[in-house]
Amino acid sequence: MHQQMLARYDAERLAVGLLRVIPFDNWNIPIQEGYDSHLTNEYGTLQYAPRPSGMVLSDSYTDPTSPVTVHQQSYNWNRLLNAINTGKFQKKDNCYEDVNIENLGAAIESSVSSPNPDLYGSLHNNGHDLLSIITDPDGRYKQAMGVMGTTETSIRDPVFFRWHKYIDNLFVMHKNMLDPYSADDLGFKNITLEEISVKVNGCCDQKENVLTTRMEYVNVDIYQSMYQGNPQQSLQVSVYRVNHDEFEYNIKVNNAKRKNVKAAFRVFMAPSFDEHSDRFGLNEQRRWFIEMDKFVEELPRHATHEIKRSSKLSSVVKPPGLSIKDILKEVVERKRKSTKKNVESECVCRRERYCECGLPQNILLPRGTESGMRFDLFVMVTDWESDNCTDNLDQGTSYCGVKNQKYPDGRAMGFPFDRNIDVKFFTKFLDTFVDRFDNMLSVPITIKTMPTTKQTA
């Protein structure tokens, strides 16, 4: 998920003329980015500490029984890198196990599944902690932590993305050790993508493959977020945010097989050009592909099938949130219909809302530029009969998975761009790669940002 956040953030930076994120890769030099959130916690009792520009990380002794030192963090990085390069983790019993994406993630985090937390430490979490207490590392001033110390606020700090690109580079190095996907991995016999395009809904005069975004002011009710008592009250604040016009994918695919097949459609987009206006080569561009959607369709045998897919159905967005008013209304309705006495204690949210870690619908698209920013739209069709684990793709599942079940896709997250592309499949750019496979297509599209608008909630 963090890799996708980085890809999206870099697309936004390119759109406003900034360089892509430079990873945090030296523990001993000043951090040039200062940050002050001007935020308090939800109770208004804690002011998150600012971080002035030029601060250097220091050892933390806020917990004297378990200090976190900068040198130890550097050692942990090197040990993780050694495990990646050798393909082996050293366990507590001095036996070894093969490195894979699951135990690598567990070691970096680290979680209870880490192969050896004493040896590999907790690189990710301790990094967040050190950055959050950089202005008071030993706690002598009783200062509050910075926003990097909590999951609700850390993404506000620009150093969050630098830190996570540093972490993501470990996963990239692991993936680079794996063999590239073969033609059998990438192909889908007798399935041919004939056409793909996108178009804004309800705009007859809108050009094909041109999508539109805007910055807008919207009113948001934050009363219940402040833990006030009366659910009938409201407190409206104006929020400045990006949004886009709804659009749909138009896909034409031919199934030449003798039977109907279930097919997975994998939709990505990535900026076509870097910050120097040079076109991305594929093995560089693949890290910046943003997953836009993933869905399953049954394709009739010996037929060409046309699919229209709304952007509102994307598998990477989360379902709309429920306000306190909505929940109370649902409780009353259930109580009216139910014969159970303690109906108020029943769950009134849909089960799939257990982890709302998808994107809000309004930020599905990168903002683009006023003159139009070019992206490469990529669609790939794969055999869902062999790919599926739970046959349950829905909103939010790309990031969150499905509760108490396996991740619903048997392919790796980011497939087919999670590994180096075999050079025998392309010369340099995406289009020559796509030309090798009938089940793939790419088209250039443009994202234009329109003038700011005002609207009400």
Side-chain angles (χ1 to χ4, degrees):
M1 186 175 82
H2 286 98
Q3 184 275 332
Q4 283 291 289
M5 293 166 69
L6 284 164
R8 174 56 191 277
Y9 184 61
D10 272 333
E12 298 289 350
R13 290 177 67 90
L14 290 175
V16 296
L18 297 176
L19 299 176
R20 285 169 286 166
V21 173
I22 298 172
F24 177 93
D25 59 2
N26 191 317
W27 294 88
N28 300 305
I29 64 174
I31 300 170
Q32 294 305 313
E33 299 89 353
Y35 182 71
D36 188 353
S37 67
H38 301 285
L39 290 177
T40 61
N41 69 351
E42 62 265 37
Y43 302 106
T45 57
L46 179 151
Q47 178 81 41
Y48 288 103
R51 184 187 65 255
S53 176
M55 296 292 294
V56 179
L57 286 175
S58 301
D59 300 340
S60 168
Y61 292 94
T62 52
D63 180 359
T65 64
S66 182
V68 178
T69 68
V70 172
H71 285 306
Q72 189 62 50
Q73 284 286 88
S74 182
Y75 293 153
N76 292 339
W77 165 275
N78 290 328
R79 289 165 181 163
L80 288 163
L81 189 59
N82 181 66
I84 291 168
N85 288 331
T86 60
K88 299 288 183 181
F89 273 123
Q90 182 179 342
K91 301 198 296 183
K92 287 184 176 181
D93 59 5
N94 288 326
C95 293
Y96 290 85
E97 68 177 46
D98 293 338
V99 174
N100 57 51
I101 198 70
E102 286 83 10
N103 58 19
L104 179 60
I108 292 173
E109 186 66 17
S110 75
S111 75
V112 293
S113 301
S114 173
N116 193 339
D118 293 334
L119 184 62
Y120 300 108
S122 183
L123 181 69
H124 169 261
N125 291 342
N126 285 343
H128 269 272
D129 291 342
L130 287 178
L131 287 163
S132 73
I133 59 173
I134 193 170
T135 56
D136 189 17
D138 56 8
R140 71 178 65 183
Y141 303 113
K142 309 300 181 185
Q143 190 176 36
M145 62 184 173
V147 294
M148 280 291 284
T150 64
T151 55
E152 297 90 343
T153 57
S154 60
I155 198 172
R156 289 175 170 269
D157 192 332
V159 83
F160 170 92
F161 294 96
R162 292 194 60 199
W163 174 244
H164 274 280
K165 185 166 279 192
Y166 176 73
I167 294 296
D168 190 57
N169 283 343
L170 284 171
F171 292 99
V172 171
M173 286 185 274
H174 164 64
K175 289 283 188 172
N176 287 346
M177 299 290 290
L178 305 179
D179 293 333
Y181 291 115
S182 67
D184 288 340
D185 295 325
L186 297 169
F188 192 2
K189 290 183 179 180
N190 298 318
I191 302 296
T192 302
L193 267 175
E194 297 181 350
E195 294 179 19
I196 60 170
S197 64
V198 288
K199 190 172 183 181
V200 171
N201 293 345
C203 296
C204 297
D205 58 344
Q206 178 68 50
K207 292 182 179 179
E208 194 172 70
N209 295 331
V210 176
L211 302 178
T212 49
T213 69
R214 66 186 52 76
M215 298 303 295
E216 65 182 11
Y217 290 95
V218 296
N219 291 331
V220 177
D221 185 356
I222 66 169
Y223 188 84
Q224 296 302 323
S225 299
M226 300 177 67
Y227 296 94
Q228 304 297 316
N230 188 346
Q232 304 307 317
Q233 296 292 321
S234 68
L235 178 60
Q236 301 286 326
V237 297
S238 182
V239 175
Y240 191 52
R241 71 177 191 182
V242 68
N243 205 345
H244 63 272
D245 291 315
E246 293 175 9
F247 62 94
E248 67 179 14
Y249 302 98
N250 299 292
I251 302 171
K252 186 181 290 187
V253 57
N254 179 266
N255 174 17
K257 294 179 181 288
R258 297 180 178 178
K259 63 176 183 177
N260 295 358
V261 297
K262 273 192 172 182
F265 289 77
R266 304 169 185 276
V267 184
F268 294 83
M269 69 166 60
S272 303
F273 299 96
D274 66 15
E275 51 268 76
H276 308 296
S277 299
D278 294 326
R279 187 177 175 190
F280 277 114
L282 179 55
N283 261 331
E284 181 181 10
Q285 186 187 31
R286 66 183 183 85
R287 283 191 72 178
W288 281 271
F289 269 98
I290 304 163
E291 184 175 334
M292 299 297 296
D293 201 359
K294 181 164 50 181
F295 60 93
V296 176
E297 287 277 336
E298 184 164 326
L299 305 180
R301 64 188 179 94
H302 290 305
T304 296
H305 189 51
E306 294 190 18
I307 300 168
K308 292 186 181 295
R309 171 81 171 179
S310 171
S311 60
K312 293 192 297 184
L313 300 176
S314 172
S315 63
V316 303
V317 302
K318 63 181 182 179
L322 290 177
S323 69
I324 299 296
K325 292 179 183 179
D326 293 333
I327 294 174
L328 290 175
K329 183 178 179 180
E330 182 70 14
V331 167
V332 171
E333 183 64 18
R334 287 193 177 201
K335 185 175 181 180
R336 184 179 68 81
K337 294 180 178 180
S338 176
T339 59
K340 297 180 181 180
K341 292 183 178 180
N342 295 324
V343 69
E344 290 87 349
S345 65
E346 295 180 13
C347 176
V348 298
C349 301
R350 295 190 350 234
R351 285 184 299 171
E352 60 267 33
R353 294 179 186 272
Y354 79 100
C355 183
E356 294 189 355
C357 59
L359 293 176
Q361 179 68 240
N362 63 287
I363 64 170
L364 175 62
L365 275 185
R367 76 180 69 193
T369 61
E370 290 185 9
S371 60
M373 181 174 174
R374 177 176 153 174
F375 285 76
D376 289 316
L377 176 68
F378 171 89
V379 179
M380 178 182 190
V381 189
T382 61
D383 185 0
W384 189 243
E385 296 294 339
S386 61
D387 291 350
N388 86 82
C389 289
T390 66
D391 205 17
N392 187 354
L393 288 180
D394 196 359
Q395 284 189 312
T397 54
S398 283
Y399 288 167
C400 307
V402 181
K403 188 175 182 179
N404 297 327
Q405 297 183 50
K406 290 183 178 179
Y407 186 73
D409 189 353
R411 302 281 194 171
M413 289 184 176
F415 172 85
F417 299 115
D418 61 304
R419 298 188 189 183
N420 274 322
I421 309 295
D422 197 322
V423 293
K424 69 183 179 184
F425 294 140
F426 74 108
T427 52
K428 185 175 181 181
F429 301 114
L430 174 66
D431 48 7
T432 56
F433 169 61
V434 168
D435 287 344
R436 295 292 300 268
F437 298 94
D438 292 337
N439 61 315
M440 303 179 190
L441 268 183
S442 69
V443 294
I445 67 170
T446 300
I447 301 180
K448 299 184 69 173
T449 184
M450 310 303 286
T452 296
T453 61
K454 291 186 178 182
Q455 84 177 57
T456 57

